[in-house]
């Protein structure tokens, strides 16, 4: 990997969407971390091991049986190796938290959802890797499918040097366009901007659907107050011959298209975390997961 001279206010992470089953990572001969568990996203901060110019990132994976890492067995093959996307991510020293177990740093919880209104609670985790305290603002924008900003929330916070902070934002959304399964899988986008000294230094986006799901023990599932008979499949894995679990987004899209063709409106992701694209595509296509 080739790097220009790094800015002193920039952090660089290596991000894995999956590495089976135990992964060790070195940068320029320095061991930067180990991850145990094949199927979840994880990251390592490799900033201090990088240098200007050419850098070598080495990864060793092992799917040897170990009693401390699940799965210990099953009716499926526990493959080894890098079978999902890997990327480098560079951010400012003040950024949405990259080390929260591979999470996005932005967590959204709708509640009290009706066609007239909905509550939205958001939590943004912020990291300050600099050597001085920072006064920051998180600006949250709810954006509809046309690209129009529906509502904006702001929260100020002060984060000490080398520490993490949390911003909580909430408010009421009037007349939300509801996510109505396969008939109308409407999604908003929530964009969070991190602002320092008047400038946006980091941005993350998350899709969001407003829906109310209720399960009655006698009558089944209700979506937004309407009874829905759920018919679906047990999505074992989006595997392919000669690929194993190293599938592409196009392979996942093909699986979802087949499920739409057979009339499914729900699915179960089996055994472990599936690729991130699978969950996004299920939301986009209207499947109850």
């Amino acid at each position: 990997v080739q790097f220009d001279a790094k800015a002193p206010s920039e952090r660089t992470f290596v991000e894995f969407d999956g590495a089976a089953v135990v992964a060790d990572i070195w940068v320029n001969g320095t061991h930067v971390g180990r991850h145990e568990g094949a199927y979840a996203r994880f990251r390592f901060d490799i900033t201090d091991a990088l240098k200007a110019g050419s850098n070598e990132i080495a990864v060793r994976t092992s799917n040897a049986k170990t009693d401390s890492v699940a799965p210990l067995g099953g009716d499926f093959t526990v493959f080894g190796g890098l079978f999902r996307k890997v990327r480098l991510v560079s951010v400012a020293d003040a950024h949405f938290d990259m080390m929260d177990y591979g999470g996005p740093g932005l967590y959204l919880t709708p509640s009290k959802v009706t066609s007239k209104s909905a509550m939205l609670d958001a939590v943004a985790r912020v990291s300050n890797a600099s050597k001085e305290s920072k006064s920051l603002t998180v600006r949250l924008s709810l954006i509809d499918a046309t690209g129009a900003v529906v509502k904006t929330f702001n929260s100020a916070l002060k984060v000490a040097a080398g520490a993490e902070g949390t911003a909580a934002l909430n408010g009421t959304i009037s007349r939300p366009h509801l996510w109505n399964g396969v008939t109308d899988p409407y999604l908003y986008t929530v964009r969070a901007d991190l602002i320092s000294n008047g400038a946006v230094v980091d941005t993350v986006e998350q899709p969001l659907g407003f829906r109310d799901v209720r399960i009655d023990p006698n009558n089944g599932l209700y979506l937004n107050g309407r009874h829905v008979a759920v018919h679906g499949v047990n999505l074992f894995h989006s595997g392919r011959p000669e690929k194993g679990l190293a599938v592409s987004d196009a392979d996942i899209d093909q699986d979802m298209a087949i499920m739409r063709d057979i009339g499914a409106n729900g699915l179960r992701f089996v055994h472990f975390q599936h690729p991130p694209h699978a969950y996004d595509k299920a939301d986009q296509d209207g499947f109850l997961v």
Side-chain angles (χ1 to χ4, degrees):
V1 179
Q2 191 74 23
F3 271 89
D4 295 330
K6 302 197 314 307
S9 60
E10 186 176 276
R11 308 298 296 181
T12 298
F13 298 81
V14 60
E15 177 178 88
F16 297 81
D17 284 348
V21 169
V22 175
D24 286 279
I25 294 90
W26 292 263
V27 176
N28 297 321
T30 298
H31 186 257
V32 295
R34 163 178 280 215
H35 182 264
E36 298 179 341
Y39 308 105
R41 175 179 285 171
F42 63 95
R43 307 182 183 105
F44 290 108
D45 186 341
I46 62 172
T47 308
D48 295 338
L50 292 170
K51 61 184 180 181
S54 181
N55 291 263
E56 181 181 73
I57 299 176
V59 182
R60 182 180 67 197
T61 64
S62 171
N63 65 337
K65 182 176 175 58
T66 171
D67 291 337
S68 63
V69 183
L72 302 181
D75 56 346
F76 57 93
T77 302
V78 180
F79 292 99
L82 296 178
F83 65 105
R84 292 182 186 161
K85 296 177 182 178
V86 182
R87 57 188 70 84
L88 289 174
V89 182
S90 291
V91 295
D93 56 7
H95 54 270
F96 291 108
D97 192 5
M98 294 286 289
M99 296 303 290
D100 188 30
Y101 300 98
L106 174 65
Y107 304 95
L108 309 170
T109 306
S111 62
K112 300 180 181 178
V113 176
T114 70
S115 59
K116 294 182 179 179
S117 67
M119 283 291 297
L120 176 60
D121 289 281
V123 174
R125 292 175 56 94
V126 176
S127 178
N128 176 18
S130 74
K131 296 181 179 179
E132 59 184 23
S133 177
K134 286 185 177 289
S135 296
L136 304 165
T137 298
V138 175
R139 181 177 64 209
L140 202 72
S141 302
L142 179 68
I143 303 167
D144 69 17
T146 71
V149 176
V150 175
K151 188 131 184 172
T152 302
F153 311 87
N154 291 281
S155 179
L157 71 161
K158 191 167 186 177
V159 185
E164 285 75 44
T166 300
L169 307 97
N170 59 74
T172 302
I173 311 302
S174 299
R175 303 191 66 81
H177 189 145
L178 300 185
W179 185 95
N180 264 306
V182 294
T183 60
D184 184 15
Y186 190 91
L187 292 172
Y188 292 84
T189 298
V190 177
R191 184 183 70 225
D193 295 314
L194 185 62
I195 300 169
S196 177
N197 295 322
V200 175
V201 295
D202 196 16
T203 298
V204 296
E205 292 186 350
Q206 285 284 90
L208 177 68
F210 287 100
R211 66 184 183 185
D212 175 71
V213 176
R214 179 172 62 88
I215 298 177
D216 183 277
N218 299 313
N219 299 313
L221 186 140
Y222 289 81
L223 176 62
N224 302 325
R226 179 176 57 89
H227 181 263
V228 175
V230 181
H231 301 282
V233 301
N234 205 41
L235 185 58
F236 191 74
H237 309 130
S238 294
R240 288 293 187 279
E242 300 182 2
K243 286 187 176 182
L245 299 184
V247 295
S248 66
D249 289 351
D251 294 328
I252 293 168
D253 292 348
Q254 184 183 56
D255 285 349
M256 297 294 181
I258 292 170
M259 287 187 286
R260 292 198 307 271
D261 287 346
I262 66 173
N265 62 356
L267 63 91
R268 174 185 177 231
F269 286 125
V270 182
H271 287 147
F272 45 67
Q273 300 97 322
H274 285 233
H277 180 70
Y279 297 93
D280 290 339
K281 186 63 175 169
D283 287 340
Q284 292 162 15
D285 286 357
F287 292 112
L288 288 158
V289 173

